[in-house]
Amino acid sequence: MATVTNILIDDLRHNKRTAQERLLSLYGEMVFRQIARIVTRQEDAEEIYQDVFVKVFRKIDTYDENQATLATWLSRIAHNETLNFVRKKKPGIVYLEDSHEDLENIEDTSALQHNKQTTLLLEQALEQLPPYEKSIISMFYYDNIELKEIAYITDSIPTTIGSQLCRIRRKLYRIIKTLQP
């Protein structure tokens, strides 16, 4: 028996406008949020959003439901398009790099008191991350995407994503420490 998703995909493969509109209504907001967390300029985010869905409609035949859910597949395309845009648009950006200092004494960032000041510091720290790292953090914490799906989206493996998350959290902690008065 065909599922609703299978019918939608089949209709998309037949270029049905109603299917395209349905896909946008189901996943458009999710895709836009993912893009806007990395590219904060509204016009740029809208441009990438359009590029993502143009690519989706052109490449729907390449979607394989055995590899990923439709949402994960869309996230992968959005992730790649966003990073490609950032690479083309801002090639000269320098980001705070990881230092090789002793990390054994770093507290768990969840121990930080959650208040407006901490939230503001975290937002400022996130802005200092390179787009790829910001994307990983956003997918894991904001979108609640599992490591396995993030690995698919980024063309990586779950253990690598887990290690990257750990490293990025430490980096955020160091950035927050430098931002605190």
Side-chain angles (χ1 to χ4, degrees):
M1 178 159 42
T3 66
V4 174
T5 303
N6 289 347
I7 293 169
L8 176 62
I9 292 166
D10 189 51
D11 288 348
L12 286 168
R13 288 181 174 149
H14 288 96
N15 294 316
K16 291 188 179 177
R17 184 168 178 80
T18 55
Q20 293 172 342
E21 291 170 356
R22 179 79 174 135
L23 184 74
L24 288 168
S25 71
L26 288 172
Y27 299 104
E29 187 177 324
M30 173 199 79
V31 167
F32 190 80
R33 274 193 324 265
Q34 181 180 351
I35 295 165
R37 284 192 198 108
I38 309 306
V39 178
T40 54
R41 191 167 166 257
Q42 178 80 17
E43 295 83 12
D44 291 340
E46 289 171 357
E47 180 181 334
I48 297 166
Y49 175 83
Q50 290 173 358
D51 291 346
V52 166
F53 281 101
V54 165
K55 189 171 216 170
V56 166
F57 297 145
R58 285 188 187 150
K59 304 257 184 187
I60 192 66
D61 287 333
T62 66
Y63 170 67
D64 181 357
E65 63 192 31
N66 296 319
Q67 283 191 321
T69 65
L70 185 56
T72 301
W73 186 71
L74 289 168
S75 288
R76 182 178 189 161
I77 293 170
H79 171 79
N80 290 332
E81 288 296 309
T82 303
L83 293 184
N84 287 339
F85 177 87
V86 170
R87 282 184 203 115
K88 288 181 210 170
K89 195 79 169 174
K90 299 180 181 180
I93 294 179
V94 177
Y95 296 98
L96 179 65
E97 292 298 322
D98 291 316
S99 66
H100 297 287
E101 65 189 36
D102 180 20
L103 299 175
E104 291 177 15
N105 296 325
I106 292 180
E107 301 171 23
D108 185 345
T109 57
S110 65
L112 293 172
Q113 182 182 9
H114 184 73
N115 58 30
K116 289 181 182 178
Q117 181 182 7
T118 302
T119 303
L120 180 62
L121 286 171
L122 182 57
E123 288 172 0
Q124 291 172 350
L126 284 169
E127 287 304 312
Q128 293 187 33
L129 292 177
Y132 177 82
E133 291 177 355
K134 193 186 303 184
S135 178
I136 297 294
I137 289 288
S138 294
M139 284 187 276
F140 189 75
Y141 288 106
Y142 291 104
D143 299 327
N144 296 315
I145 298 176
E146 295 178 18
L147 293 179
K148 181 176 95 176
E149 291 175 331
I150 295 172
Y152 173 80
I153 291 166
T154 60
D155 197 24
S156 187
I157 58 174
T159 54
T160 300
I161 297 301
S163 296
Q164 289 173 342
L165 277 168
C166 184
R167 183 179 47 79
I168 297 167
R169 283 191 294 262
R170 289 178 177 152
K171 187 179 203 177
L172 282 170
Y173 180 83
R174 286 192 305 275
I175 294 170
I176 288 170
K177 283 297 195 189
T178 65
L179 293 173
Q180 288 178 329

